[in-house]
Amino acid sequence: MCGIVGIRRLDGREVDPALLRRMTDQLVHRGPDDQGYWHESGIGFGHRRLSIIDLEGSRQPMQAGPHTICFNGEIFNYQELRKSLQSGGYQFQTNGDTEVLLALYKSEGLEGVRKTNGQFAYAIWDATKDELILHRDRLGVSPLYYYWDGQVFLFASEIKALLPAIEGGGQVDEGSLKEYLAYRSVPAPYTLFDGIRKLEAGCRLRLDKSGAVRIEPWWSLPTAAADESISASEAVQGVETSLRDAVSRRLVADVPVGTYLSGGVDSSLITAMTSQLMGGGRVETFSAGFGDPRYDELPYAREVSKALGTAHHELIIEPGNFQDLWSKLTWHRDAPISEPADIAIYQLASQASSHVKVLLSGEGADELFAGYPKYAWAERVKVVDLLPAGLREAGFKALERMIPRRAAKARIALRAMAARNESDRFQAWFAPFTSYERDALIDGEERAQHRAITARAQGDTIQRMLYNDCHAWLTDNLLERGDRMAMAASVESRPPFLDHELVELAARLPSNVKLRGGATKWVVKEVARRPLPASIVDRRKVGFRVPLDSWFRGELRNMAGDMLLGHNSFVASRMNRDVIERMLKDHQSERRDEEIRIWTLLCLEVWHEVFFRGGAPSA
């Protein structure tokens, strides 16, 4: 991927080339290989390039007559599109996908994007219409942010690149704090920065010469009920074929490609297919561990590597790594590092950057094929809606206090059962703070985005949960993490499970091939049985866990208390100090496991320090 920025002035003034450079300089990590700038009357683009395809050509921003493009990402089917455009008479000057995207717009206008298969965010300036057009890919793998004050419109791949052009460097969006506590991130279109918005996945933004902004969806996640006529064997065959095609497309590169290998089913299956498609070439694989046997998956990753014959690399993450990298990676993330595994992913990508420029990941499989334990629980707990909300809250909260601390999954289920309604319950499975806890911690109303998402979802409980998770969890949390942490190390992350053709197939599959006989992600596991050992396919899901529970009682204990209860704490100034103090005490005494809630608040504190108190590292 790359980094893009842009300025469109509608106040009659010219774009300042020095400001354009300062904005672009914030994205050096996204594109250390090259840089380019373009500006004319009232419009300017800046580009940082990570060279993946057509290494010596395809410099950006790229012009073709009255059209100029600034592009971040990859079009995986660009060679097919190129042949089609050539047959129609287009004369190409380069060998890359950037010119193909520009030619597609010149040939078919706004609708040309529908022919693409890729992950991307790009801007096109159409001088014939005096119109700026932004597009973001279907699933939101590539990020795109914007700011509009009625006179000047700004866009960039990362929020930090907008800040040099915003007077005062931006302010906290107080209305997003409660949403952060619910999601560990802020759902699009909002961010934690006042006035800075995120273009939603599968959308385009159009800014015309009058200053009118139109945001239009050009693709959306299917909501129709599943096709119950699809048999289990047809589902397995369809997923295998579609996933293999997706992996094959993501091997398109003029640089070395490797894979993340956690030892779980998803990354192991991607690695196996990569190895097969590379025709016997050794795949570079990368794994991280935490030195804690409860969560350490390194032995499983080694087993997969040995079975597939990969060139394997390992990394051990220590508590000190978190303190050393916290501020730096918060700056890269533009947001709190609310997923503890972010730091491990960055260090893996840093290690990988010495060997490859592209890493394939298993991201998205759980949200498409019901891979989390919560999906199995969901069918059992839906009957609780028959109970009055007040009784649910009191009863299940009392039960939660009685559950042993080690029974983490049961405690999460009880927290979800106490939710006020189905929308809150879907949210509660991943929420660090339930709706009741958020109300106790901070004042103010929450926005209604999650309820709107739930209202659009159709089908049975599993289908509706998956639809919610793809919108509120996958795009705004996991994919942002994957992009920022990989790009912080100048490595491109590609998730084959999020190929839109596979996503559309997954949406059509009935729930009984995703969750079958109590087994989560059944159809993916059946596909994985062919290339992988049964010990990998059938083992219990662990996930990419960090042992924060013990760290917050040990090496990181004093730091947590000082940051959250100190006299200049941002979190303590906005939230109920008594609730925070009780949370810390409960964790230290081992009465409750509060690791994820402590971590969520700590990361918000570090984010505020980095962006509003001068703690940001230099670009």
Side-chain angles (χ1 to χ4, degrees):
M1 292 193 193
C2 303
I4 62 174
V5 307
I7 304 173
R8 172 66 171 129
R9 302 201 70 109
L10 291 172
D11 57 1
R13 299 172 62 185
E14 294 300 310
V15 170
D16 180 357
L19 175 59
L20 197 61
R21 285 181 175 268
R22 287 200 301 277
M23 293 171 66
T24 310
D25 284 347
Q26 302 300 306
L27 302 178
V28 171
H29 53 284
R30 295 190 73 92
D33 298 331
D34 197 8
Q35 59 186 311
Y37 307 91
W38 163 84
H39 62 92
E40 57 183 41
S41 181
I43 182 77
F45 292 163
H47 188 268
R48 293 293 319 197
R49 187 181 185 196
L50 181 67
S51 301
I52 303 291
I53 293 173
D54 191 20
L55 304 185
E56 302 302 322
S58 299
R59 296 200 69 209
Q60 295 192 57
M62 181 181 290
Q63 286 185 277
H67 304 111
T68 306
I69 189 169
C70 197
F71 166 51
N72 163 41
E74 310 291 347
I75 307 299
F76 299 124
N77 64 335
Y78 80 97
Q79 292 167 330
E80 302 159 37
L81 294 172
R82 179 188 177 94
K83 289 177 183 176
S84 175
L85 290 161
Q86 281 178 321
S87 67
Y90 192 92
Q91 300 295 312
F92 283 92
Q93 306 300 311
T94 67
N95 297 313
D97 54 349
T98 304
E99 190 179 4
V100 168
L101 198 53
L102 187 54
L104 197 60
Y105 175 77
K106 291 172 71 70
S107 172
E108 304 195 25
L110 293 173
E111 296 308 301
V113 68
R114 297 182 188 276
K115 292 189 173 182
T116 61
N117 184 304
Q119 53 188 64
F120 50 79
Y122 65 90
I124 288 180
W125 170 246
D126 188 335
T128 65
K129 300 177 181 177
D130 264 357
E131 185 174 50
L132 175 66
I133 304 157
L134 307 181
H135 273 102
R136 191 174 180 206
D137 68 63
R138 293 171 176 85
L139 275 300
V141 179
S142 298
L144 192 57
Y145 299 87
Y146 64 93
Y147 175 87
W148 171 232
D149 65 6
Q151 296 292 316
V152 180
F153 184 91
L154 311 168
F155 71 85
S157 296
E158 297 181 8
I159 290 173
K160 68 182 66 64
L162 300 173
L163 300 181
I166 298 174
E167 186 175 355
Q171 302 297 323
V172 177
D173 180 11
E174 302 283 346
S176 291
L177 292 176
K178 211 164 188 178
E179 289 191 303
Y180 167 73
L181 298 180
Y183 298 97
R184 308 185 218 176
S185 59
V186 178
Y190 299 99
T191 73
L192 279 170
F193 291 86
D194 187 36
I196 296 178
R197 298 290 183 258
K198 184 182 343 181
L199 185 61
E200 294 182 71
C203 287
R204 73 167 62 95
L205 181 150
R206 302 169 66 184
L207 174 70
D208 66 21
K209 60 184 178 182
S210 73
V213 173
R214 283 178 289 173
I215 297 176
E216 310 159 344
W218 63 270
W219 182 90
S220 58
L221 196 67
T223 58
D227 183 353
E228 299 295 337
S229 69
I230 299 176
S231 68
S233 60
E234 289 171 335
V236 173
Q237 183 59 52
V239 170
E240 180 175 29
T241 300
S242 188
L243 181 58
R244 189 176 301 278
D245 290 344
V247 172
S248 179
R249 281 191 278 265
R250 279 152 187 78
L251 294 178
V252 173
D254 296 329
V255 295
V257 177
T259 72
Y260 290 113
L261 180 58
S262 69
V265 172
D266 308 329
S267 64
S268 299
L269 179 55
I270 295 298
T271 301
M273 287 188 170
T274 300
S275 181
Q276 293 167 356
L277 290 163
M278 285 178 60
R282 292 193 80 196
V283 181
E284 302 275 353
T285 55
F286 303 87
S287 302
F290 302 96
D292 188 323
R294 295 175 299 169
Y295 311 129
D296 198 346
E297 295 191 289
L298 286 178
Y300 302 107
R302 292 184 203 121
E303 182 181 352
V304 174
S305 173
K306 184 178 180 181
L308 299 177
T310 72
H312 193 53
H313 310 270
E314 292 184 352
L315 187 66
I316 298 295
I317 310 299
E318 303 288 346
N321 298 137
F322 279 66
Q323 291 174 292
D324 294 343
L325 291 170
W326 213 337
S327 293
K328 173 183 176 178
L329 296 187
T330 298
W331 180 83
H332 277 289
R333 184 74 164 78
D334 288 328
I337 302 289
S338 58
E339 294 302 313
D342 285 16
I343 294 174
I345 291 172
Y346 164 73
Q347 291 201 282
L348 271 181
S350 296
Q351 183 187 53
S353 66
S354 301
H355 306 273
V356 300
K357 267 194 170 181
V358 175
L359 282 170
L360 273 55
S361 77
E363 211 72 88
D366 289 321
E367 293 77 15
L368 293 174
F369 296 101
Y372 298 115
K374 70 173 190 170
Y375 298 116
W377 277 90
E379 283 293 312
R380 306 169 196 164
V381 305
K382 61 184 180 182
V383 295
V384 302
D385 282 333
L386 300 175
L387 299 173
L391 180 60
R392 282 204 309 272
E393 179 195 5
F396 289 120
K397 285 175 72 173
L399 279 174
E400 184 196 349
R401 286 192 291 270
M402 297 166 59
I403 292 288
R405 188 169 54 85
R406 64 181 179 275
K409 291 184 176 63
R411 293 182 69 241
I412 292 171
L414 289 169
R415 292 167 64 83
M417 283 188 261
R420 295 172 174 134
N421 50 53
E422 183 182 69
S423 178
D424 284 352
R425 181 171 308 116
F426 287 167
Q427 183 190 71
W429 289 105
F430 281 141
F433 297 92
T434 66
S435 56
Y436 301 104
E437 290 167 338
R438 297 193 295 273
D439 288 344
L441 196 56
I442 188 171
D443 295 330
E445 294 297 318
E446 293 185 32
R447 298 185 179 111
Q449 293 136 283
H450 196 270
R451 289 190 290 277
I453 293 170
T454 304
R456 293 197 300 269
Q458 297 182 29
D460 59 29
T461 303
I462 300 302
Q463 287 175 274
R464 296 198 305 275
M465 284 185 72
L466 292 170
Y467 183 87
N468 272 264
D469 288 344
C470 282
H471 277 85
W473 175 254
L474 178 65
T475 299
D476 292 313
N477 190 314
L478 301 187
L479 293 182
E480 280 191 24
R481 171 187 78 180
D483 172 84
R484 296 304 194 289
M485 295 302 98
M487 291 307 299
S490 303
V491 170
E492 179 175 288
S493 177
R494 297 179 178 179
F497 277 104
L498 296 181
D499 184 291
H500 75 272
E501 294 180 13
L502 178 57
V503 170
E504 289 166 355
L505 170 62
R508 293 195 303 272
L509 296 180
S511 296
N512 63 17
V513 300
K514 299 173 183 176
L515 185 67
R516 193 174 183 86
T520 56
K521 208 159 47 183
W522 179 86
V523 66
V524 174
K525 291 175 181 176
E526 291 304 299
V527 173
R529 289 190 190 284
R530 304 183 189 188
L532 295 173
S535 57
I536 297 298
V537 177
D538 294 325
R539 74 180 182 86
R540 183 176 61 88
K541 182 178 178 64
V542 176
F544 205 11
R545 288 288 309 278
V546 181
L548 289 175
D549 56 345
S550 57
W551 289 0
F552 284 147
R553 295 187 185 96
E555 296 94 327
L556 305 183
R557 172 179 178 170
N558 293 335
M559 176 205 67
D562 292 344
M563 290 174 63
L564 295 181
L565 297 174
H567 69 279
N568 64 342
S569 167
F570 169 74
V571 168
S573 72
R574 296 301 194 280
M575 301 181 192
N576 189 318
R577 182 184 289 266
D578 291 339
V579 173
I580 298 170
E581 188 169 7
R582 185 165 62 249
M583 186 188 311
L584 291 169
K585 287 181 178 177
D586 283 349
H587 189 78
Q588 298 305 332
S589 66
E590 300 193 32
R591 288 184 63 247
R592 292 169 62 91
D593 185 352
E594 299 285 6
E595 60 172 287
I596 195 60
R597 285 172 279 288
I598 294 171
W599 176 259
T600 299
L601 296 181
L602 282 173
C603 290
L604 181 63
E605 185 69 36
V606 173
W607 169 80
H608 187 267
E609 172 70 25
V610 165
F611 284 98
F612 298 98
R613 291 181 176 166
S618 169

